Amino acid sequence: MPKVRFCITVEEGEPSPDGGDEIAFAVSANAGEAPRPMGKIASGGELSRIMLCLQCALAEVEQIPTLIFDEIDTGISGHAAQQVGVKLQSIARNVQVLCVTHLPQIAALADHHFRITKTSDD
Protein backbone atom coordinates (compact mmCIF):
# COMPACT_ATOMS: atom_id res chain seq x y z
CA MET A 1 0.00 0.00 0.00
CA PRO A 2 2.59 2.55 -1.09
CA LYS A 3 0.22 5.54 -1.44
CA VAL A 4 -1.89 4.98 1.67
CA ARG A 5 -2.53 7.80 4.13
CA PHE A 6 -3.72 6.94 7.61
CA CYS A 7 -5.17 9.57 9.96
CA ILE A 8 -6.28 9.39 13.57
CA THR A 9 -8.57 11.98 15.15
CA VAL A 10 -9.19 12.25 18.87
CA GLU A 11 -12.07 14.20 20.39
CA GLU A 12 -11.70 14.55 24.13
CA GLY A 13 -14.74 13.63 26.13
CA GLU A 14 -15.86 13.10 29.68
CA PRO A 15 -14.88 9.79 31.27
CA SER A 16 -17.71 7.25 31.40
CA PRO A 17 -18.10 3.46 31.71
CA ASP A 18 -17.76 3.32 27.90
CA GLY A 19 -14.57 5.37 27.84
CA GLY A 20 -13.99 9.06 27.43
CA ASP A 21 -12.45 10.09 24.16
CA GLU A 22 -13.85 9.49 20.69
CA ILE A 23 -11.16 8.10 18.38
CA ALA A 24 -11.65 7.68 14.65
CA PHE A 25 -9.43 6.18 11.96
CA ALA A 26 -9.53 7.54 8.43
CA VAL A 27 -7.71 6.16 5.43
CA SER A 28 -6.98 7.06 1.83
CA ALA A 29 -5.72 4.08 -0.13
CA ASN A 30 -5.18 6.02 -3.36
CA ALA A 31 -3.11 9.11 -4.13
CA GLY A 32 -5.20 12.27 -4.38
CA GLU A 33 -8.10 10.88 -2.35
CA ALA A 34 -9.05 12.54 0.92
CA PRO A 35 -8.99 10.23 3.94
CA ARG A 36 -12.44 8.86 4.83
CA PRO A 37 -13.68 6.71 7.71
CA MET A 38 -11.81 3.43 7.57
CA GLY A 39 -14.76 1.24 8.50
CA LYS A 40 -16.80 2.57 5.60
CA ILE A 41 -14.31 2.48 2.74
CA ALA A 42 -11.57 -0.07 3.44
CA SER A 43 -11.78 -3.47 1.77
CA GLY A 44 -11.16 -6.67 3.71
CA GLY A 45 -7.62 -6.82 2.37
CA GLU A 46 -6.91 -3.21 3.30
CA LEU A 47 -8.30 -3.75 6.78
CA SER A 48 -6.09 -6.82 7.19
CA ARG A 49 -2.96 -4.93 6.20
CA ILE A 50 -3.83 -1.90 8.34
CA MET A 51 -4.42 -4.15 11.34
CA LEU A 52 -1.06 -5.81 10.70
CA CYS A 53 0.61 -2.39 10.78
CA LEU A 54 -1.20 -1.36 13.97
CA GLN A 55 -0.40 -4.64 15.71
CA CYS A 56 3.27 -4.31 14.78
CA ALA A 57 3.50 -0.73 16.00
CA LEU A 58 1.79 -1.58 19.29
CA ALA A 59 3.92 -4.67 19.82
CA GLU A 60 7.08 -2.56 19.64
CA VAL A 61 5.80 0.01 22.13
CA GLU A 62 4.14 -2.43 24.53
CA GLN A 63 6.81 -5.14 24.20
CA ILE A 64 4.18 -7.81 23.56
CA PRO A 65 5.87 -11.24 23.50
CA THR A 66 3.34 -12.99 21.22
CA LEU A 67 1.21 -11.72 18.32
CA ILE A 68 -1.71 -13.77 17.03
CA PHE A 69 -3.14 -13.12 13.57
CA ASP A 70 -6.30 -14.99 12.66
CA GLU A 71 -6.73 -15.04 8.88
CA ILE A 72 -4.70 -11.88 8.26
CA ASP A 73 -4.89 -12.94 4.61
CA THR A 74 -8.58 -12.07 4.21
CA GLY A 75 -9.17 -10.39 0.86
CA ILE A 76 -5.58 -10.55 -0.41
CA SER A 77 -3.55 -12.71 -2.77
CA GLY A 78 -0.48 -12.62 -4.99
CA HIS A 79 2.05 -9.87 -4.32
CA ALA A 80 0.10 -8.39 -1.40
CA ALA A 81 0.04 -11.81 0.31
CA GLN A 82 3.78 -12.19 -0.25
CA GLN A 83 4.42 -8.79 1.34
CA VAL A 84 2.25 -9.65 4.35
CA GLY A 85 4.25 -12.87 4.74
CA VAL A 86 7.55 -11.00 4.57
CA LYS A 87 6.32 -8.53 7.21
CA LEU A 88 5.19 -11.36 9.50
CA GLN A 89 8.55 -13.07 9.02
CA SER A 90 10.34 -9.84 9.93
CA ILE A 91 8.24 -9.38 13.08
CA ALA A 92 8.90 -13.00 14.09
CA ARG A 93 12.59 -12.21 14.50
CA ASN A 94 11.73 -10.35 17.73
CA VAL A 95 8.45 -11.81 18.99
CA GLN A 96 6.55 -15.06 18.69
CA VAL A 97 3.99 -14.91 15.86
CA LEU A 98 1.08 -17.29 15.53
CA CYS A 99 -0.78 -16.92 12.24
CA VAL A 100 -3.84 -18.71 10.89
CA THR A 101 -3.62 -18.54 7.11
CA HIS A 102 -4.91 -20.27 4.00
CA LEU A 103 -2.32 -18.77 1.67
CA PRO A 104 0.87 -20.56 0.66
CA GLN A 105 2.68 -17.23 0.18
CA ILE A 106 2.34 -16.59 3.92
CA ALA A 107 2.69 -20.16 5.22
CA ALA A 108 5.87 -20.76 3.20
CA LEU A 109 7.73 -18.13 5.22
CA ALA A 110 7.01 -19.70 8.62
CA ASP A 111 9.53 -21.62 10.67
CA HIS A 112 6.97 -24.13 11.98
CA HIS A 113 3.59 -25.35 10.74
CA PHE A 114 0.59 -26.87 12.47
CA ARG A 115 -2.24 -28.34 10.48
CA ILE A 116 -5.61 -27.84 12.15
CA THR A 117 -8.64 -29.65 10.81
CA LYS A 118 -12.27 -29.53 11.74
CA THR A 119 -14.56 -32.52 11.78
CA SER A 120 -18.13 -33.02 12.83
CA ASP A 121 -20.32 -35.97 13.68
CA ASP A 122 -23.40 -36.49 11.51
Side-chain angles (χ1 to χ4, degrees), residues 69-99:
F69 297 98
D70 184 8
E71 299 190 27
I72 194 72
D73 55 16
T74 300
I76 62 172
S77 63
H79 181 71
Q82 178 69 25
Q83 293 304 307
V84 167
V86 168
K87 184 63 177 173
L88 289 169
Q89 186 181 47
S90 172
I91 296 164
R93 290 187 190 112
N94 300 312
V95 301
Q96 180 182 35
V97 174
L98 301 174
C99 180

Side-chain angles (χ1 to χ4, degrees), residues 35-59:
R36 298 192 336 229
M38 185 172 73
K40 293 185 179 183
I41 65 154
S43 69
E46 290 166 340
L47 286 173
S48 293
R49 292 187 299 271
I50 290 167
M51 285 305 302
L52 175 60
C53 293
L54 290 173
Q55 289 278 3
C56 295
L58 291 173

